[in-house]
Amino acid sequence: MSTPRLTELWQVAGEALLPAYEPSSHGVGIVHLGIGAFHRAHQAAYTDAALAAAGGDWRIRGVSLRSREVAEALNPQNGLYTLIERSASGTTGRVIGSITDVIAADPEAALTAMADPAVRIVTLTVTEKGYGIDRTARGPDWSHPTVAADLAAPEAPAGVLGLLTAALRLRRARNTAPFTVLSCDNLPENGALLRDGVIGFARRIDPDLADWIAAEVAFPSSMVDRITPAVTPETLATAEQLTGCRDLAAVETEAFHQWVIEDHFPGGRPAWEKAGAIFVSDVTPYERMKLTMLNGSHSMLAYAGFLAGHHYVRDVMADDSLAALVRRHLSSAAAVLPPLCGIDLAAYGQALAERFENPTIAHETYQIAMDGTEKLPQRLLAPAVLALEAGLPVRPFAFAVAAWMRYCLGETDGGDTYALRDPRAVEITAVLASLPHEAEAISDALQRLPGLFPAKLLEASQWRCEVSRALGRMLDLGMRGAIAEEAKG
């Protein structure tokens, strides 16, 4: 007999795994754009716990803007899926019931869902490139293909800014209260940035609507943290072992989770605090801490680790020399941050190192290395500027940036090639194609990419020398040799 699909609660083996509420008795109150593995491991799990603790019509209707894969996995399972948590002490799992269904690659249906008066919150995890926002200009990137297409046909949008604007326009026309827009992506001041993008887009098509959005719509910021590796066949096999059912939507993650949210929800919200969310008046210090320490060290270890032949983060931390550089980076990142009430930055750094060491989490360095040009400014370049201004060592940040530059060459020390998987990959490849294999030339060319490196770094000879020196050692000694030398100080 074949294993049953995870479609009905009573098919799951073991009541301890089931939601502590009847999912069908709770209505939809949230639409989520970008329903990938991270959302299912983080916001949907928080919402599941909030429903169990306090109830309410807060289930989630997911929207996959391009792919049908998640919908094809979740919809036949009535939105149910297994959340697997792996730690050194063991593996646990539970069935999440907070998602009702997923709309796949259907902008019209997504617009209808967001215009529903029952929906009071729209959340997003679409990655930085999905927003189509120019962070420097604090508004829409009008050259972004989806933004340009939506501006040309605002009545039939397909992208984030166009859909949000159109949905808010419908609600205003129908005299329906606006929903709160909650970004859950790793972006500095993500709520304010998204607000600027939506208002900027709306102003191009309807200035009165833009004014209404500015006055009436809440865009709280949030900081999210939970390491969520890509789903593998082992993930699905573990889910089947835990539940006795086939689950094609299962995700795995670490036991740790954190969500810091600006408490501004005029239309109400789930009791996420019951699941451990922290509500504050200003997310910025927490956001800066996470981007600078966790994400910055993650990027460094991803580029250096991948080129050193380490497939997973846990392998990086088993390499004594590279693990020492990770800890150095965490310490240097903490040094550029202001004190944060209630947070011991040294202890936070130690906890991060221990999370990276988790032997049960298979988080690929190549996965973390994606979209480098989108991540570098907030993760590595902004902290480097702070270090320069404070007279602190810039060498750890220069080493990390040099590792990214070495990664941009698209070839390992052994001659194997790989895709950069970066939105500016074509531009990077073109810039490097005619250059000699020489550190200073490569460093100068990549630092001159338009809109990437801040002027304060470009003008700092100390910074440029440190980057060129580190990149030169990587080219001369290979990444493993450069890591070993760097770890010796």
Side-chain angles (χ1 to χ4, degrees), residues 409 428-447:
L409 296 177
I428 290 170
T429 301
V431 163
L432 296 177
S434 60
L435 293 179
H437 206 65
E438 191 272 324
E440 188 171 352
I442 293 170
S443 174
D444 285 347
L446 291 176
Q447 293 197 69

Side-chain angles (χ1 to χ4, degrees), residues 8 249 305 328 336 428 485:
E8 300 292 346
R328 181 188 72 169
V336 305
I428 290 170
E485 181 181 84

Side-chain angles (χ1 to χ4, degrees), residues 97-172:
S98 58
I99 295 174
T100 59
D101 58 356
V102 178
I103 297 167
D106 188 342
E108 186 176 351
L111 189 57
T112 299
M114 288 190 286
D116 184 344
V119 169
R120 288 167 280 169
I121 301 173
V122 172
T123 55
L124 302 90
T125 48
V126 296
T127 74
E128 180 166 353
K129 60 186 176 183
Y131 286 90
I133 295 175
D134 183 335
R135 286 191 295 108
T136 302
R138 302 290 299 191
D141 175 2
W142 303 112
S143 66
H144 190 282
T146 307
V147 174
D150 285 355
L151 186 62
E155 72 287 349
V160 168
L161 298 184
L163 281 169
L164 290 172
T165 301
L168 289 167
R169 189 178 193 177
L170 276 175
R171 293 176 79 105
R172 182 185 182 221

Side-chain angles (χ1 to χ4, degrees), residues 119-462:
V119 169
R120 288 167 280 169
I121 301 173
V122 172
T123 55
L124 302 90
T125 48
V126 296
T127 74
E128 180 166 353
K129 60 186 176 183
Y131 286 90
I133 295 175
D134 183 335
R135 286 191 295 108
T136 302
R138 302 290 299 191
D141 175 2
W142 303 112
S143 66
H144 190 282
T146 307
V147 174
D150 285 355
L151 186 62
E155 72 287 349
V160 168
L161 298 184
L163 281 169
L164 290 172
T165 301
L168 289 167
R169 189 178 193 177
L170 276 175
R171 293 176 79 105
R172 182 185 182 221
R174 296 170 182 174
N175 200 29
T176 301
F179 46 69
T180 296
V181 185
L182 178 64
S183 172
C184 302
D185 279 294
N186 283 317
L187 292 167
E189 300 178 319
N190 52 19
L193 188 70
L194 184 52
R195 181 181 187 272
D196 290 341
V198 173
I199 291 173
F201 185 92
R203 198 162 298 285
R204 285 287 187 98
I205 61 173
D206 185 343
D208 288 341
L209 174 64
D211 291 340
W212 180 82
I213 292 172
E216 302 294 336
V217 182
F219 290 83
S221 290
S222 75
M223 185 273 273
V224 297
D225 186 5
R226 193 170 210 188
I227 294 171
T228 305
V231 173
T232 66
E234 184 182 357
T235 306
L236 305 187
T238 300
E240 185 168 333
Q241 292 167 6
L242 289 168
T243 67
C245 299
R246 287 191 307 127
D247 179 1
L248 302 185
V251 293
E252 65 175 81
T253 187
E254 62 177 337
F256 177 91
H257 56 85
Q258 187 175 50
W259 197 5
V260 182
I261 311 169
E262 181 184 352
D263 198 0
H264 183 36
F265 293 82
R269 60 171 176 77
W272 284 319
E273 69 276 9
K274 300 287 188 181
I278 301 169
F279 285 91
V280 298
S281 59
D282 184 8
V283 172
T284 305
Y286 300 89
E287 175 185 85
R288 187 179 303 148
M289 176 187 74
K290 191 242 179 178
L291 285 167
T292 303
M293 294 187 67
L294 188 154
N295 297 123
S297 58
H298 240 184
S299 287
M300 185 280 284
L301 70 83
Y303 297 120
F306 175 79
L307 290 168
H310 298 311
H311 194 60
Y312 299 119
V313 173
R314 64 193 184 197
D315 302 329
V316 166
M317 300 306 289
D319 177 331
D320 290 343
S321 294
L322 189 46
L325 295 183
V326 172
R327 292 179 183 276
R328 181 188 72 169
H329 192 101
L330 287 167
S331 177
S332 299
V336 305
L337 294 171
L340 182 55
C341 182
I343 299 290
D344 181 332
L345 293 177
Y348 178 68
Q350 176 60 29
L352 287 175
E354 292 171 0
R355 289 169 63 192
F356 295 163
E357 292 169 354
N358 187 339
T360 66
I361 293 292
H363 202 182
E364 295 182 353
T365 52
Y366 188 47
Q367 177 191 3
I368 300 167
M370 287 179 63
D371 302 328
T373 56
E374 300 284 0
K375 298 172 180 177
L376 248 66
Q378 62 267 28
R379 296 185 177 195
L380 298 174
L381 305 184
V385 169
L386 292 173
L388 272 176
E389 291 175 341
L392 296 170
V394 297
R395 183 168 175 170
F397 305 108
F399 179 85
V401 170
W404 167 74
M405 292 177 172
R406 172 63 188 85
Y407 177 86
C408 284
L409 296 177
E411 184 176 319
T412 67
D413 292 329
D416 295 327
T417 60
Y418 50 86
L420 295 187
R421 302 199 297 180
D422 188 286
R424 300 179 70 171
V426 173
E427 182 183 3
I428 290 170
T429 301
V431 163
L432 296 177
S434 60
L435 293 179
H437 206 65
E438 191 272 324
E440 188 171 352
I442 293 170
S443 174
D444 285 347
L446 291 176
Q447 293 197 69
R448 295 291 178 187
L449 286 173
L452 186 57
F453 281 74
K456 286 186 177 180
L457 291 182
L458 295 176
E459 296 164 359
S461 58
Q462 176 192 358

Side-chain angles (χ1 to χ4, degrees), residues 66-90:
R66 291 175 297 276
S67 171
R68 297 184 179 276
E69 184 178 349
V70 177
E72 290 170 353
L74 273 172
N75 288 345
Q77 300 180 180
N78 296 330
L80 302 174
Y81 64 96
T82 311
L83 177 63
I84 300 162
E85 294 183 0
R86 299 190 190 275
S87 68
S89 60

